[in-house]
Amino acid sequence: EMEAKYTRKMQALRDELDLRRKTEIHELEERKNTQISELIGNHEGAFGAIKNYYNDITAKNLTLINLLKEQVEELKRKEAVLEKEKADVVRENKGLAEPLHEAQELVAELQRKLVNYYRDKEALVNSKAHLKVAQKELKDLQWEHEVLEQRFSQVQEERDDLYQNFTRAINEVQQKTGYKNLLLERKLHGLLTLLEQKEVELSEVLAASNLDPSALSLVSHKLEDVLSSKNATIQDLQIQLARVCKAHNDMLQTFEAKLTAFGIPLDNLGFQPLSFPIPGQ
């Protein structure tokens, strides 16, 4: 029973596998036939394209051959015409031999003249080049001359302005310095006069009061303190006066240096600037 059972199973499996094999073979044949049909179609299309391509090439070659035949015939006709023209030219050349000889002699003469012409032309070109260089140098010099004239005019204007400003500044500084010096001198003279008066008054008071030595010493110390204060004030005024005089002299030196830098002689001022002596020197 088992053998019969497995025999039946084996037969069923064999039938199933046989059916599957036939199905797969059928599918393979269908795919093969489809590919064969596609290949036949592609080959027929390619063959038709190649056939059309070579038909076109053949037609073009036939057209080109016909065109070349026509060109050959045309060239033969032109060759016949040129041969005829050549014979005519040969006859003309024979008749022109003597004029040619004369023309050659004329050409030789003209060539000699041409050599002289080239030499003269080269000399002319060199002369024109030198002339251009000279004209350019002339233009540059004219331009520099104009620039120098403008600068000269500008320097003259600056010199005139500087001269006017210098004269005005000198006058103003001299007036201010003289006025300040006068005030300081008057103030100093007044202080000295007042000091002398105070000393005289103090002497009279001391002589009339008959003070004891201690009070006289105290008064003397106070008087010395006052005199020291006044002397300090006098020294300060002298220092201020010396500073003002030095500033005035420095300003004069600066203006003289500027005038010298601009090429203006000091004699052109029309006056002699005053330099104040510094007190104590």
Side-chain angles (χ1 to χ4, degrees):
E1 288 176 359
M2 288 179 65
E3 185 178 1
K5 181 180 178 181
Y6 282 102
T7 301
R8 286 192 300 270
K9 284 184 178 182
M10 187 178 295
Q11 185 64 37
L13 182 60
R14 186 180 289 114
D15 294 338
E16 183 182 356
L17 292 175
D18 190 21
L19 179 61
R20 185 182 296 176
R21 179 179 58 80
K22 289 179 180 180
T23 303
E24 291 177 355
I25 290 173
H26 181 69
E27 291 177 355
L28 287 173
E29 287 179 353
E30 286 181 353
R31 288 198 296 271
K32 179 188 69 174
N33 293 329
T34 302
Q35 290 179 358
I36 290 172
S37 299
E38 290 178 356
L39 288 174
I40 291 172
N42 292 332
H43 289 169
E44 289 179 353
F47 179 74
I50 292 172
K51 184 178 179 181
N52 293 329
Y53 173 73
Y54 283 106
N55 287 335
D56 293 338
I57 291 176
T58 304
K60 289 180 181 178
N61 289 333
L62 291 174
T63 304
L64 182 59
I65 290 169
N66 294 328
L67 180 62
L68 291 174
K69 286 181 179 180
E70 293 177 358
Q71 290 180 356
V72 168
E73 292 178 357
E74 182 68 22
L75 290 173
K76 287 181 179 180
R77 289 194 296 270
K78 289 182 178 179
E79 184 180 4
V81 173
L82 291 174
E83 288 291 337
K84 185 179 179 182
E85 291 179 354
K86 178 182 176 182
D88 296 336
V89 170
V90 169
R91 287 194 300 271
E92 290 179 359
N93 286 337
K94 291 180 180 180
L96 294 175
E98 184 64 26
L100 177 62
H101 180 69
E102 295 177 357
Q104 287 177 348
E105 293 179 354
L106 180 61
V107 167
E109 181 65 24
L110 291 175
Q111 286 179 348
R112 288 193 295 271
K113 292 182 179 180
L114 184 62
V115 172
N116 296 329
Y117 168 75
Y118 284 145
R119 186 167 57 251
D120 295 339
K121 184 178 180 181
E122 185 177 359
L124 179 61
V125 170
N126 293 331
S127 299
K128 287 183 178 180
H130 290 302
L131 179 61
K132 287 182 179 180
V133 172
Q135 288 177 349
K136 185 177 182 302
E137 292 178 354
L138 178 60
K139 288 182 180 179
D140 293 338
L141 291 174
Q142 290 177 349
W143 181 77
E144 291 179 0
H145 178 69
E146 292 178 359
V147 171
L148 290 175
E149 285 184 348
Q150 294 177 0
R151 289 182 62 187
F152 178 72
S153 301
Q154 185 178 0
V155 170
Q156 280 186 337
E157 293 177 359
E158 292 177 356
R159 184 199 63 184
D160 296 338
D161 294 338
L162 180 63
Y163 175 74
Q164 294 177 0
N165 294 331
F166 175 74
T167 304
R168 184 167 58 252
I170 288 294
N171 292 330
E172 292 177 357
V173 171
Q174 284 183 346
Q175 290 177 0
K176 291 179 180 180
T177 306
Y179 180 70
K180 192 169 183 179
N181 290 339
L182 181 62
L183 290 178
L184 291 175
E185 289 178 356
R186 287 183 179 180
K187 189 174 181 179
L188 180 62
H189 182 69
L191 290 174
L192 291 175
T193 303
L194 181 62
L195 179 61
E196 291 176 356
Q197 291 178 357
K198 294 297 181 180
E199 287 179 352
V200 171
E201 291 176 358
L202 180 63
S203 299
E204 292 176 355
V205 168
L206 292 175
S209 61
N210 294 321
L211 296 175
D212 56 351
S214 61
L216 182 61
S217 176
L218 180 62
V219 171
S220 298
H221 285 301
K222 290 184 178 179
L223 180 61
E224 289 178 356
D225 293 337
V226 172
L227 290 176
S228 298
S229 176
K230 297 300 181 180
N231 289 329
T233 303
I234 292 171
Q235 288 181 355
D236 291 338
L237 292 174
Q238 289 178 347
I239 291 172
Q240 292 180 8
L241 179 61
R243 187 182 298 112
V244 171
C245 292
K246 186 176 185 305
H248 174 75
N249 294 334
D250 292 341
M251 185 197 65
L252 287 178
Q253 293 178 359
T254 302
F255 277 111
E256 289 176 358
K258 289 292 183 181
L259 290 175
T260 304
F262 282 98
I264 302 174
L266 298 178
D267 298 337
N268 291 343
L269 293 177
F271 63 92
Q272 182 65 31
L274 296 178
S275 57
F276 292 100
I278 299 175
Q281 294 184 359

